[in-house]
Amino acid sequence: MNDKEIKKGIIYVGANDAERRIFDELIELPDGTTYNSYLVSGSEKTALIDSVDPSKKDILLSNLKAAGIKSIDYVVSQHGEQDHSGSIPDVLAAYPMAKVVTNSKCRGELADLLMIKEDKFITIEDGGEISLGDKTLKFFFTPWAHWPETFVTYIPEDRMLFTCDFLGSHYATENLYAQSNDEILIPAKRYYAEIMSPFRSMIRKNLEKIKVLDVDIVAPSHGPLHKGMDFITGYYSQWASDDVKNEVTIAYISMHGSTGKITRYFIESLEKKGMKVHAFNLADADIGDIAMALLDSATAIIGSPMVLAGPHPKAIFIAYLLKALRPKTRFLSVIGSYGWGGKLVEQLAEMLGSLGAEIIEPVLVKGYPKEADFKMLDELAEKIRAKHQELGLS
Ligand code: FEO
């Protein structure tokens, strides 16, 4: 197991889940994932930082056994979601003297979700610490990365920062570290886009909070560890900023070809005007790819035909997703087609209203697009170009 030694007295005891292809029954996992758990042995006490998904609890317990761990004093639970907390009851059963160290919010979640008894908890405060002897666990609350209770743990003696979901990636690997920054950039971006982007103002505050720490190794609870903090926090700062690019994300669906033709024409028109377009056919799009494109796009467009007097259900899904991801997109619009009428635009506009983006007059086409419709699409593309230009984008 010592090939998994990170620093003297700190070993990786987590589990790889390379075969997993979906998370939350929603997010696709093209690269699988890992559930990282770390055992920290000080001169006097031992702590486990996060556990693993319940499906991999046997691996965690067997890693602890293989490492010769006879007792655990503390199980630090940095986040209540079950992919990190779900095996804590099994760890407590195997190591009955262990106490769960967490904040009051997470304590409530663990009591509700896992029925962990009240007397098993030690509750920490922001900035609090616990000594393991020659190592200290210092806790810093980093809320909304991505639940309200999330916090990070810092060991100053080893300059290690444990961040749970924050700064992580769904990327299965047997290696502790990625072979290069390039290997992990897209998985980390996808992870940020899907999980963290709705909370970017909190992410910015959390980045400020941790940047004062002297960090040699960042140890998230998904994906490889990072040597130093600059690479990953640099990208997080960029993704969480208000900056947008001269880019348009279009998510569309077409049933009989009209909206498909409209979308293809519109993409060409936008590109001719110098904008980069990320187009996704909702028939088979990966929402992680859409979430990543939205990180940079100044404008988002939904393309939909009318179905039963309203948007296609897949267009409703993407509008809901936009609402959930709360991208920094400044402008929104709708393109699509209809046969005899309905409230496609009204329904989507109502869903998207809370995003605070400006809705540019949509283009809805009756039947298959004709010359006058292409002209309206060109006009919409021109309006978007002008709006981008006003923002100084080119
Ligand atoms: Fe990886 Fe929010 O759990």
Side-chain angles (χ1 to χ4, degrees):
M1 194 63 208
N2 283 344
D3 60 327
K4 296 288 186 180
E5 185 173 74
I6 302 159
K7 295 250 181 182
K8 191 166 181 309
I10 303 178
I11 60 172
Y12 179 95
V13 288
N16 207 337
D17 200 350
E19 306 305 316
R20 189 165 179 178
R21 283 293 167 267
I22 191 125
F23 197 86
D24 289 346
E25 300 303 322
L26 177 67
I27 295 166
E28 290 175 53
L29 301 179
D31 304 306
T33 192
T34 66
Y35 317 108
N36 303 347
S37 176
Y38 303 95
L39 189 83
V40 183
S41 301
S43 55
E44 292 170 19
K45 305 269 188 186
T46 298
L48 185 74
I49 299 183
D50 288 334
S51 74
V52 299
D53 189 87
S55 62
K56 299 291 179 189
K57 68 181 181 200
D58 291 344
I59 293 177
L60 170 62
L61 294 173
S62 121
N63 287 345
L64 291 170
K65 198 171 165 196
I69 302 306
K70 299 278 189 297
S71 72
I72 292 175
D73 298 287
Y74 306 116
V75 179
V76 179
S77 180
Q78 304 182 110
H79 175 27
E81 196 166 9
Q82 291 92 326
D83 51 324
H84 309 291
S85 68
S87 296
I88 291 177
D90 303 282
V91 173
L92 295 179
Y95 299 91
M97 301 306 286
K99 295 278 188 187
V100 179
V101 174
T102 193
N103 61 20
S104 59
K105 282 199 174 87
C106 193
R107 174 183 179 143
E109 291 169 3
L110 299 182
D112 290 342
L113 295 169
L114 304 170
M115 281 76 77
I116 295 175
K117 300 258 182 312
E118 280 297 307
D119 64 355
K120 294 303 288 180
F121 289 104
I122 295 173
T123 306
I124 50 143
E125 301 294 332
D126 188 16
E129 58 183 61
I130 284 182
S131 174
L132 305 180
D134 60 352
K135 294 183 193 293
T136 313
L137 305 177
K138 290 175 76 87
F139 308 108
F140 297 101
F141 292 6
T142 49
W144 296 107
H146 61 122
W147 279 14
E149 80 292 358
T150 44
F151 68 91
V152 299
T153 305
Y154 179 59
I155 302 182
E157 294 85 353
D158 295 296
R159 298 165 60 220
M160 272 196 75
L161 182 65
F162 300 85
T163 57
C164 200
D165 282 342
F166 190 34
L167 311 179
S169 55
H170 283 311
Y171 189 76
T173 170
E174 292 294 338
N175 302 315
L176 282 176
Y177 302 94
Q179 303 304 299
S180 68
N181 287 342
D182 283 349
E183 182 188 355
I184 202 59
L185 178 57
I186 295 303
K189 183 176 184 180
R190 168 184 278 264
Y191 189 84
Y192 171 89
E194 292 170 330
I195 310 288
M196 300 290 162
S197 70
F199 311 106
R200 63 197 175 87
S201 64
M202 287 308 302
I203 296 299
R204 289 200 294 253
K205 285 184 187 155
N206 291 333
L207 289 170
E208 282 299 305
K209 194 164 183 176
I210 64 170
K211 84 173 185 195
V212 298
L213 302 173
D214 180 16
V215 174
D216 180 33
I217 293 171
V218 176
S221 295
H222 291 295
L225 291 74
H226 304 286
K227 289 179 180 158
M229 191 159 65
D230 292 351
F231 162 74
I232 191 66
T233 57
Y235 273 103
Y236 260 60
S237 297
Q238 184 184 314
W239 298 328
S241 75
D242 288 329
D243 298 344
V244 287
K245 296 182 180 163
N246 191 23
E247 298 182 7
V248 179
T249 293
I250 303 180
Y252 71 99
I253 186 81
S254 184
M255 296 191 300
H256 300 292
S258 294
T259 302
K261 175 71 181 170
I262 289 163
T263 304
R264 285 191 298 279
Y265 183 88
F266 189 53
I267 291 168
E268 259 184 52
S269 185
L270 290 164
E271 286 176 341
K272 276 185 202 156
K273 294 176 195 303
M275 287 166 272
K276 182 172 176 182
V277 179
H278 308 273
F280 302 94
N281 186 339
L282 294 171
D284 56 8
D286 174 332
I287 63 170
D289 290 334
I290 300 176
M292 279 195 286
L294 287 169
L295 286 187
D296 291 327
S297 294
T299 297
I301 305 284
I302 297 179
S304 173
M306 193 83 72
V307 178
L308 299 174
H312 189 286
K314 291 205 170 191
I316 300 253
F317 170 76
I318 209 67
Y320 186 84
L321 189 74
L322 275 167
K323 232 174 107 152
L325 291 174
R326 286 185 257 160
K328 47 191 156 176
T329 307
R330 308 293 175 82
F331 310 106
L332 297 166
S333 195
V334 176
I335 55 175
S337 58
Y338 66 100
W340 52 87
K343 294 195 181 301
L344 190 161
V345 167
E346 292 85 341
Q347 285 186 29
L348 290 177
E350 192 183 334
M351 289 184 75
L352 298 172
S354 64
L355 286 177
E358 180 182 341
I359 298 185
I360 303 176
E361 185 64 29
V363 173
L364 268 197
V365 171
K366 190 166 193 301
Y368 202 74
K370 302 158 198 78
E371 214 44 53
D373 304 313
F374 295 130
K375 188 162 173 288
M376 285 200 297
L377 288 166
D378 284 332
E379 285 167 3
L380 176 57
E382 179 54 28
K383 280 183 202 161
I384 293 169
R385 188 202 64 77
K387 294 281 183 192
H388 286 199
Q389 196 173 38
E390 280 171 26
L391 292 181
L393 305 174
S394 57

